[in-house]
């Protein structure tokens, strides 16, 4: 787990809320505080979509950031900055599979519950914290270290300046 401070908030928030840089991620939860606090649970409610729609649209257990992003953007746009926001994202299963396949990590896809990024803006500071969740006990920190390095590479690739805290 690492924490990075985003050095160019305007560029980052533009890429997050307007661009497509983070669209591949799923949303576990989002909370945005402006004049009220708005909380979004990213869990897809069973029964809302038919089985055919779920298959056709490739909808899983969580909403994609691309689906949630317009609602979040509508809450923060305007003349005033939000008081705070927190977005918990995770890599989708196919992305997790590709990530694991591209690295020598001694853990199977079935054992990885999630590769997370927690984005937090508060007190005029924007940070991203990485995290992993596995279904087995292990002392091996290779997955954590690789995910940390992978996320830093993701930021660099997308020209997002940061400083490790």
């Amino acid at each position: 787990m690492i924490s990075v401070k985003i050095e160019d908030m305007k560029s980052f928030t533009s890429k997050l809320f307007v661009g497509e840089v983070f669209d591949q991620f799923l949303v576990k939860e989002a909370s945005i505080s402006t004049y009220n606090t708005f909380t979004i649970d990213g869990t897809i409610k069973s029964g809302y979509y038919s089985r055919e729609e779920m298959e056709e649209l490739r909808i899983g257990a969580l909403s994609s950031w691309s689906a949630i992003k317009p609602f979040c953007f509508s809450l923060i746009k305007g003349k005033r900055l939000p008081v705070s926001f927190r977005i918990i994202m995770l890599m989708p299963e196919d992305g997790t599979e590709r990530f694991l396949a591209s690295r020598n990590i001694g853990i199977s896809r079935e054992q990885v519950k999630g590769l997370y990024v927690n984005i937090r803006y508060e007190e005029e500071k924007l940070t991203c914290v990485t995290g992993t969740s596995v279904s087995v006990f292990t002392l091996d920190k290779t997955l954590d270290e690789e995910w940390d390095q992978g996320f830093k590479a993701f930021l660099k690739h997308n020209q997002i300046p940061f400083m490790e805290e």
Side-chain angles (χ1 to χ4, degrees):
M1 177 174 78
I2 58 166
S3 176
V4 297
K5 180 182 178 206
I6 302 302
E7 295 183 324
D8 184 348
M9 283 193 280
K10 187 174 183 176
S11 173
F12 180 89
T13 54
S14 176
K15 291 175 183 186
L16 178 65
F17 291 108
V18 180
E20 298 175 354
V21 171
F22 291 89
D23 283 2
Q24 70 195 27
F25 288 93
L26 302 175
V27 177
K28 179 102 171 114
E29 180 182 311
S31 177
I32 299 172
S33 294
T34 56
Y35 61 91
N36 286 116
T37 298
F38 302 90
T39 304
I40 298 170
D41 176 356
T43 306
I44 300 289
K45 302 302 176 205
S46 67
Y48 184 78
Y49 294 106
S50 69
R51 187 178 334 167
E52 293 79 22
E53 287 173 310
M54 299 275 295
E55 290 172 7
E56 181 181 321
L57 300 173
R58 296 178 53 205
I59 298 172
L62 296 172
S63 293
S64 67
W65 174 243
S66 62
I68 299 288
K69 177 174 62 174
F71 301 105
C72 293
F73 181 64
S74 72
L75 294 171
I76 66 156
K77 71 180 179 180
K79 295 179 182 176
R80 298 181 187 194
L81 291 173
V83 174
S84 65
F85 64 80
R86 180 177 49 92
I87 305 166
I88 302 172
M89 296 183 167
L90 74 148
M91 180 72 70
E93 284 187 26
D94 59 343
T96 300
E97 285 177 20
R98 284 192 306 275
F99 177 80
L100 293 172
S102 69
R103 289 160 171 80
N104 188 16
I105 301 172
I107 193 164
S108 71
R109 165 62 200 109
E110 294 75 29
Q111 295 172 318
V112 178
K113 293 171 65 176
L115 301 174
Y116 290 89
V117 177
N118 296 297
I119 301 169
R120 187 173 295 226
Y121 171 75
E122 56 192 358
E123 298 176 7
E124 299 180 17
K125 181 180 169 186
L126 185 59
T127 57
C128 296
V129 178
T130 61
T132 62
S133 176
V134 295
S135 62
V136 296
F137 176 76
T138 179
L139 294 173
D140 185 358
K141 297 297 179 195
T142 305
L143 176 63
D144 296 339
E145 293 163 359
E146 289 291 331
W147 178 235
D148 295 345
Q149 295 307 314
F151 185 69
K152 288 191 292 187
F154 170 81
L155 293 175
K156 287 177 185 174
H157 174 77
N158 288 290
Q159 301 174 338
I160 299 172
F162 65 92
M163 183 174 69
E164 213 167 327
E165 293 188 302

